[in-house]
Amino acid sequence: MDNGQDPGLVAVATRRTALTIIKPYRFYGEPVVKACIENGTSCIDISGEPQFLELMYWKYHQKAAEKGVYIIGSSGFDSIPADMGVIYTSNKINGTLTAVESFLTINSGPEGLCIHDGTWKSAVYGFGNQNQLKKLRNQSNLKPVPIVGAKLKRRWPVSYCRELGSYSIPFLGADVSVVKRTQRYLHENLDQSPVQYAAYVTVGGITSVIKLMFAGLFFLLFVKFGIGRQLLIRFPWLFSFGYFSKQGPTQKQIDAASFTMTFFGQGYSHSCPIENNKPNIRVCTQVKGPEAGYIATPIAMVQAAMTLLNDVSNLPSVGGVFTPGAAFAKTKLIDRLNKRGLEFSVISSSEV
């Protein structure tokens, strides 16, 4: 989720590390990445755009490695809670974690919820250019990451989560792309068991489901055509049923908002063979924090930068283009986030 600021660059020069807030990143991000690498400067961004993030990896990972710099994307609300949340869950299970589902709940106050249209624009351009992302992935020709343990079953487009007492829909942000890239890195480079992952967002009761279905249908219809995308970008408030606006949230809306991301994980105890057996461990964890775009995102981004500067010995041994989980899995980032309002906790853990 972009934080709604106008296109621009925020840079912190200490030890040659840049923090970038540039939206949409598909238009403004690559020149900054290129300039950082050429000048030996590490870079952290808050992009939630899978096409940009994956393209930067394929174009600049080797160049960044040669320069010894770290280019770390999606270091805001997209996607530090999800990516580090899966790693946290894996660290807290007494065995091998093999699959996780996350459920994002956005909480609002009496004045409701509103998101700046910068996030809306990124979504419009992202869905409008899905074919480019598919082409990029096909060209990469990566071998599949192995599925360990029981295969994670995908939920219906609208499903009911009994544990949370709410309907949910698939989360269409960058989290799944980022977490999968992290799990590939941890498996291929650190020989860790990969974790299957699916992301959802809770939408409340049946009235909210119907409202979102209509908004989704309009969005998917209009985003396919150039004139449709222009209309979506020009009238975000109308086509999002009031969830997005050019003005963004009021201060009262920001102060009253918060988020909870709940992770339901399953895996195998050390005494239970994985082959031909059902998972025998369940674990539930949470990441909780303040309003996502204007408060949680800056906290996550700044603490990622502090970790990059201060936990050098625990970063990957060579530079490159990384996800937050790939870069920070062995660092104290979660401890730093806990101290500043993004709280990671274990809700329950049991063997069945």
Side-chain angles (χ1 to χ4, degrees):
M1 182 183 295
D2 292 327
N3 72 347
Q5 295 190 18
D6 292 331
L9 169 66
V10 176
V12 178
T14 306
R15 297 191 199 173
R16 302 181 72 83
T17 299
L19 309 184
T20 65
I21 306 172
I22 311 167
K23 62 175 182 61
Y25 278 85
R26 67 170 53 243
F27 297 137
Y28 306 108
E30 184 172 356
V32 178
V33 171
K34 185 178 179 181
C36 284
I37 294 173
E38 289 175 350
N39 290 277
T41 301
S42 292
C43 177
I44 290 176
D45 71 48
I46 57 170
S47 172
E49 304 167 37
Q51 183 182 345
F52 168 78
L53 295 165
E54 295 181 31
L55 181 63
M56 292 304 98
Y57 173 82
W58 289 112
K59 291 187 70 172
Y60 296 104
H61 179 68
Q62 189 60 41
K63 295 177 181 178
E66 292 170 357
K67 280 283 191 175
V69 301
Y70 297 86
I71 308 298
I72 305 171
S74 53
S75 294
F77 179 73
D78 289 329
S79 292
I80 277 184
D83 206 17
M84 299 306 296
V86 172
I87 290 174
Y88 176 83
T89 305
S90 181
N91 291 338
K92 295 302 180 180
I93 195 170
N94 187 24
T96 301
L97 182 71
T98 58
V100 173
E101 292 180 311
S102 70
F103 291 82
L104 170 64
T105 300
I106 300 294
N107 308 300
S108 60
E111 296 194 11
L113 175 71
C114 183
I115 304 171
H116 194 277
D117 76 329
T119 300
W120 177 260
K121 289 177 181 177
S122 294
V124 169
Y125 290 123
F127 279 94
N129 293 277
Q130 277 186 316
N131 289 337
Q132 295 180 17
L133 179 57
K134 291 179 181 178
K135 183 179 179 181
L136 175 64
R137 289 172 174 172
N138 289 335
Q139 291 175 341
S140 67
N141 199 30
L142 291 171
K143 64 180 181 180
V145 175
I147 295 175
V148 178
K151 186 175 182 179
L152 180 62
K153 295 180 179 179
R154 298 298 187 235
R155 294 173 179 258
W156 290 94
V158 177
S159 62
Y160 187 76
C161 179
R162 289 174 297 183
E163 295 86 349
L164 299 177
S166 175
Y167 285 95
S168 67
I169 60 174
F171 181 64
L172 301 179
D175 288 354
V176 171
S177 168
V178 172
V179 170
K180 285 185 174 180
R181 289 172 57 215
T182 292
Q183 293 304 313
R184 175 181 291 279
Y185 173 86
L186 296 177
H187 173 65
E188 294 179 349
N189 294 273
L190 302 181
D191 201 28
Q192 294 188 12
S193 179
V195 179
Q196 303 168 69
Y197 177 67
Y200 303 91
V201 56
T202 62
V203 295
I206 194 66
T207 302
S208 297
V209 171
I210 295 172
K211 186 177 179 180
L212 283 170
M213 285 178 64
F214 276 105
L217 287 172
F218 276 114
F219 183 88
L220 292 175
L221 176 64
F222 278 64
V223 80
K224 294 180 179 180
F225 309 100
I227 189 171
R229 291 192 290 272
Q230 292 177 22
L231 289 171
L232 288 170
I233 290 171
R234 187 174 181 182
F235 304 107
W237 188 87
L238 174 64
F239 289 103
S240 69
F241 286 73
Y243 285 113
F244 293 85
S245 76
K246 293 182 180 296
Q247 293 75 33
T250 65
Q251 188 61 53
K252 288 184 177 180
Q253 287 175 320
I254 292 174
D255 293 340
S258 63
F259 79 90
T260 302
M261 189 172 286
T262 306
F263 300 83
F264 296 103
Q266 63 183 31
Y268 297 80
S269 65
H270 297 297
S271 61
C272 178
I274 294 177
E275 293 296 329
N276 302 318
N277 282 305
K278 293 182 179 180
N280 72 327
I281 293 182
R282 300 283 187 272
V283 61
C284 176
T285 63
Q286 277 189 348
V287 179
K288 301 174 69 174
E291 188 275 336
Y294 289 83
I295 303 179
T297 287
I299 291 173
M301 188 184 198
V302 170
Q303 295 313 310
M306 295 300 295
T307 302
L308 178 62
L309 296 173
N310 295 311
D311 288 6
V312 177
S313 62
N314 294 317
L315 296 173
S317 57
V318 296
V321 178
F322 298 100
T323 60
F328 300 130
K330 303 297 183 182
T331 69
K332 297 180 180 179
L333 175 59
I334 291 176
D335 293 338
R336 289 189 170 91
L337 294 172
N338 267 320
K339 293 176 181 178
R340 289 163 178 83
L342 294 185
E343 302 173 3
F344 292 68
S345 63
V346 177
I347 304 303
S348 64
S349 180
S350 62
E351 186 170 337
V352 296

